[in-house]
Amino acid sequence: MRISLCEDLCPLLTTEVTDKLIANKVISVEDLVLCDLPKVRQISRQSDVHFQTLLDIRDQLYTRFVAKPFNAFKLYNKTISLKPLKTTIKNLDQMLPKGIPRGQVTQIYGESGSGKTQFCYTLMASVAKLYGQRVLYFDTELSFDSSRLIQIINNRFPAINEQKLDQLLDYILVTRTNPLSEYKQLKLIIIDSMSSPATLEMKKTNYKSNIQDQRANSSGARKLHHQLKVRMTQMVTSLRAFAVKHSMAIIVVNSQVMAKKYYWNNSCNTCLQFVRHNEDINSKEITISLMQSYDTRADNHKSDNKFTISLKGIN
């Protein structure tokens, strides 16, 4: 979409200057910001607008409307300079390159009772304790258990006193409705889980009834399914951009179906699968597998490890 020149875009772009530029067929922001210096000089002479003034207008419009390109070397240096967040789970920190990567989205997925939320509580407690910075737990399932979090902190870090415990809890923010854009000074964001936002998206489009209506029309059903996949892709793309912009780690919790059916596995930088050792939902033994990592430093030889759910969280 072309943006027409007007006084509201820039303080130097007065009505008089705007009219002169339009008279010389410089009508939109694009017409001006894409001009090289010889072209700007030519426009200056033809429109009788001072050359330096025209340059200043072009620079201000460029800053406001044109995305600045990244220098690949600087971008790479920024990425490797972001130290991962230690989980304090020894085998997991060895499996990953020293912890959860920042500036990226990490997915954890698995069936109910496989320890995903217990891992989130363990990670929140560890980040608050080690880094003394705030983390955000996005409680989409409305199931946050503060007493379990306190139990993990007390058992994982037995030396802390009551005052220190209050301080750690103050670092941990829990929300259910606020948009992510309100939270920027954070070390970590956890969304537990993405299934609820996906369900809301299905309700918006009346997905189930539409699928039933379209059963006789397989192409219609495929179209609705594709639309939902596109929406999920938009979600993870926004999360990745947010993680990069604010140099934070983002964890998304997914069910087995959501991870595989809607391409979250293909969209997240790192994917960890949680599996119970047996069908007993109360089982304390789990396996965490590194299913995907774009980081070449990840230890592929330790891609599968057994862990225990205890009073300390995940061990």
Side-chain angles (χ1 to χ4, degrees):
M1 183 181 69
R2 293 170 67 87
I3 303 173
S4 300
L5 294 178
C6 65
E7 306 89 276
D8 296 332
L9 300 181
C10 168
L12 297 175
L13 202 56
T14 63
T15 302
E16 180 184 1
V17 171
T18 302
D19 291 342
K20 287 181 177 180
L21 292 175
I22 292 175
N24 284 273
K25 299 182 180 180
V26 182
I27 300 170
S28 69
V29 170
E30 183 181 4
D31 293 336
L32 186 55
V33 298
L34 297 181
C35 292
D36 55 17
L37 285 180
K39 183 64 175 177
V40 173
R41 289 188 186 279
Q42 180 184 343
I43 295 172
S44 175
R45 289 194 298 268
Q46 293 174 347
S47 63
D48 195 27
V49 176
H50 194 275
F51 174 67
Q52 187 59 51
T53 299
L54 203 53
L55 274 182
D56 291 342
I57 294 173
R58 188 193 66 163
D59 291 345
Q60 290 183 30
L61 293 178
Y62 187 93
T63 300
R64 180 174 178 183
F65 293 103
V66 181
K68 295 181 179 179
F70 285 101
N71 178 294
F73 180 73
K74 289 182 178 178
L75 187 60
Y76 173 73
N77 278 343
K78 179 182 178 182
T79 301
I80 64 174
S81 67
L82 294 176
K83 293 183 179 180
L85 302 180
K86 292 183 179 179
T87 67
T88 69
I89 305 171
K90 183 179 178 181
N91 288 344
L92 189 57
D93 284 337
Q94 291 176 351
M95 183 194 306
L96 298 170
K98 299 183 180 179
I100 301 297
R102 290 169 57 201
Q104 298 181 18
V105 176
T106 297
Q107 175 189 230
I108 65 172
Y109 68 96
E111 299 297 342
S112 177
S114 58
K116 302 186 299 295
T117 296
Q118 301 304 312
F119 168 75
C120 293
Y121 288 178
T122 305
L123 183 59
M124 283 192 293
S126 298
V127 170
K129 173 68 168 59
L130 294 180
Y131 302 100
Q133 293 191 28
R134 291 190 168 184
V135 303
L136 174 67
Y137 183 80
F138 214 100
D139 181 25
T140 67
E141 301 286 343
L142 308 182
S143 58
F144 177 73
D145 187 350
S146 57
S147 60
R148 174 56 175 152
L149 177 62
I150 292 172
Q151 182 185 57
I152 290 174
I153 293 174
N154 283 331
N155 285 278
R156 201 168 193 85
F157 309 109
I160 67 171
N161 55 31
E162 187 174 347
Q163 182 180 357
K164 184 63 175 178
L165 174 63
D166 290 343
Q167 184 181 12
L168 292 186
L169 293 176
D170 189 53
Y171 290 146
I172 298 172
L173 309 177
V174 180
T175 186
R176 288 164 181 163
T177 57
N178 292 11
L180 290 182
S181 57
E182 294 187 13
Y183 302 97
K184 297 176 182 178
Q185 301 302 318
L186 299 167
K187 202 82 169 176
L188 168 70
I189 290 178
I190 296 174
I191 304 175
D192 187 7
S193 68
M194 286 305 303
S195 299
S196 292
T199 301
L200 288 174
E201 194 63 32
M202 289 180 184
K203 288 181 179 179
K204 285 180 185 178
T205 58
N206 204 13
Y207 181 77
K208 289 186 178 180
S209 62
N210 283 336
I211 283 292
Q212 292 171 354
D213 294 340
Q214 295 287 351
R215 277 179 178 170
N217 180 357
S218 60
S219 64
R222 284 196 300 270
K223 182 178 179 181
L224 286 171
H225 192 61
H226 174 71
Q227 289 173 347
L228 187 60
K229 285 183 178 179
V230 169
R231 185 65 186 125
M232 294 298 104
T233 301
Q234 291 172 339
M235 284 185 182
V236 74
T237 301
S238 298
L239 290 174
R240 289 174 69 174
F242 196 80
V244 171
K245 182 177 180 180
H246 300 291
S247 302
M248 64 176 64
I250 295 183
I251 301 281
V252 293
V253 181
N254 267 327
S255 65
Q256 193 90 356
V257 173
M258 186 64 65
K260 295 183 176 180
K261 192 174 182 181
Y262 296 107
Y263 296 113
W264 281 88
N265 278 1
N266 298 335
S267 303
C268 294
N269 303 81
T270 304
C271 295
L272 296 170
Q273 183 181 32
F274 285 56
V275 180
R276 292 196 309 271
H277 280 195
N278 54 57
E279 295 300 319
D280 181 9
I281 198 169
N282 295 315
S283 172
K284 304 299 183 182
E285 303 294 323
I286 64 171
T287 296
I288 302 178
S289 304
L290 177 61
M291 305 303 293
Q292 173 175 292
S293 176
Y294 294 156
D295 195 325
T296 55
R297 294 172 295 172
D299 191 344
N300 295 323
H301 299 292
K302 298 194 176 193
S303 59
D304 215 27
N305 272 293
K306 294 181 180 180
F307 298 86
T308 304
I309 302 174
S310 68
L311 295 177
K312 295 182 179 181
I314 302 289
N315 286 310

